[in-house]
């Protein structure tokens, strides 16, 4: 049981390049989300999904796209990388039963540097 | 939307002492309040959570208290150990499972 798996762990991009951060979970969780972590800013929600085929924007969605074609996978795409997107990115998942919350399981993170 | 504030931003305690970390939230509809511990180079890990129908919850050396009227909740760690040194995040969520996190506090336990 791997939990939430993120790849790659580290990435350096040049300004303007695009890339996809991968996230996969094997717990049959309905709810998946992407956060970015910056010093002094805590964890800020980028996009989230409550199930396959359903996505929505979080607090800081600009410059990022997501899709959810399967329950297991929730990739995050950077369309044209900018230095402001240098951050540590975390994927998280949980069950999502109406009116009930459960703890998130986080991946180990992707450290992205845009030069 | 929800706004979660966490204070102080850093806390240093002597090994064996207690540590208390406080958070406030703004949305009275929030009903779930987890705490996460993040060690260096790792993702946050859930250590304890509390729901709005409970005022206090304990798990060995850690406890969480919730005051819904004042909209604040606190993490209490007793008999602190060096391995408790980490960044701690509080968070709040309503019925949509969307967690809003505080900015985090760095706890240092001095041996």
């Amino acid at each position: 049981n791997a939990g939430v798996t993120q790849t790659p762990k580290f990435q350096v991009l040049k300004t303007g390049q695009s890339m996809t951060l991968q996230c996969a979970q094997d717990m049959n969780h309905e709810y998946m989300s992407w956060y970015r972590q910056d010093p002094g800013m805590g964890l800020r929600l980028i996009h989230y999904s409550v199930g396959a085929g359903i996505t929505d924007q979080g607090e800081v969605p600009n410059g990022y796209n997501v899709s959810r074609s399967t329950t297991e996978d929730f990739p995050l795409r950077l369309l044209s990388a900018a230095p402001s997107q240098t951050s540590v990115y975390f994927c998280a998942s949980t069950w999502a039963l109406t009116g009930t919350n459960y703890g998130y399981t986080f991946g180990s993170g992707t450290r992205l540097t845009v030069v | 939307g929800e706004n979660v504030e966490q204070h102080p931003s850093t806390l240093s305690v002597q090994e064996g002492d207690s540590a208390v970390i406080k958070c406030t939230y703004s949305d009275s509809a929030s009903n779930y309040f987890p705490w996460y511990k993040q060690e260096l180079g790792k993702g946050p890990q859930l250590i304890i959570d509390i729901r709005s129908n409970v005022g206090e919850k304990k798990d060995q050396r850690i406890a969480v208290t919730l005051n819904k009227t004042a909209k604040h909740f606190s993490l209490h760690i007793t008999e602190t150990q060096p391995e408790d040194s980490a960044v701690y995040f509080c968070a709040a969520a309503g019925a949509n499972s969307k967690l809003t996190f505080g900015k985090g506090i760095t706890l240092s336990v001095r041996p």
Side-chain angles (χ1 to χ4, degrees):
Chain A
N1 192 346
V4 177
T5 302
Q6 288 184 240
T7 56
K9 292 191 182 301
F10 302 94
Q11 184 70 51
V12 179
L13 286 179
K14 293 183 179 178
T15 298
Q17 286 185 318
S18 63
M19 79 159 294
T20 300
L21 280 63
Q22 301 291 345
C23 176
Q25 53 91 10
D26 61 359
M27 297 170 285
N28 204 29
H29 285 170
E30 297 172 344
Y31 184 95
M32 297 184 74
S33 55
W34 278 100
Y35 286 86
R36 60 178 289 174
Q37 184 176 23
D38 303 293
M41 301 295 291
L43 293 157
R44 292 183 293 170
L45 181 64
I46 305 171
H47 285 286
Y48 66 99
S49 169
V50 298
I54 306 170
T55 64
D56 206 347
Q57 295 181 352
E59 180 185 355
V60 289
N62 292 341
Y64 307 95
N65 273 358
V66 291
S67 60
R68 185 92 180 272
S69 57
T70 67
T71 300
E72 294 79 17
D73 300 298
F74 190 44
L76 178 72
R77 297 184 187 85
L78 279 70
L79 308 173
S80 178
S84 61
Q85 294 178 304
T86 293
S87 187
V88 181
Y89 291 85
F90 288 101
C91 179
S93 72
T94 187
W95 289 281
L97 302 180
T98 302
T100 303
N101 282 295
Y102 296 90
Y104 285 11
T105 299
F106 279 86
S108 57
T110 295
R111 185 174 294 274
L112 176 67
T113 302
V114 183
V115 297
Chain B
E2 176 65 273
N3 181 43
V4 177
E5 294 192 355
Q6 191 168 354
H7 41 87
S9 59
T10 62
L11 179 63
S12 181
V13 299
Q14 192 71 38
E15 181 178 358
D17 288 350
S18 295
V20 180
I21 304 169
K22 300 178 182 178
C23 284
T24 60
Y25 63 99
S26 62
D27 189 350
S28 56
S30 290
N31 58 15
Y32 175 68
F33 307 92
W35 285 88
Y36 287 83
K37 176 183 181 182
Q38 185 180 28
E39 297 175 337
L40 198 61
K42 298 184 178 181
Q45 184 174 19
L46 179 71
I47 55 172
I48 195 167
D49 55 14
I50 192 168
R51 302 183 189 279
S52 57
N53 58 347
V54 176
E56 183 177 2
K57 183 176 179 181
K58 279 186 174 182
D59 183 2
Q60 299 183 337
R61 294 188 298 109
I62 61 173
V64 56
T65 58
L66 172 65
N67 183 327
K68 284 197 67 181
T69 303
K71 287 192 277 189
H72 69 71
F73 56 112
S74 299
L75 177 71
H76 305 253
I77 306 174
T78 59
E79 300 173 17
T80 53
Q81 301 167 3
E83 51 265 39
D84 294 328
S85 295
V87 177
Y88 290 83
F89 291 97
C90 62
N96 62 3
S97 296
K98 192 165 63 171
L99 274 180
T100 299
F101 285 84
K103 288 183 167 49
I105 175 177
T106 300
L107 174 65
S108 301
V109 179
R110 305 186 302 272

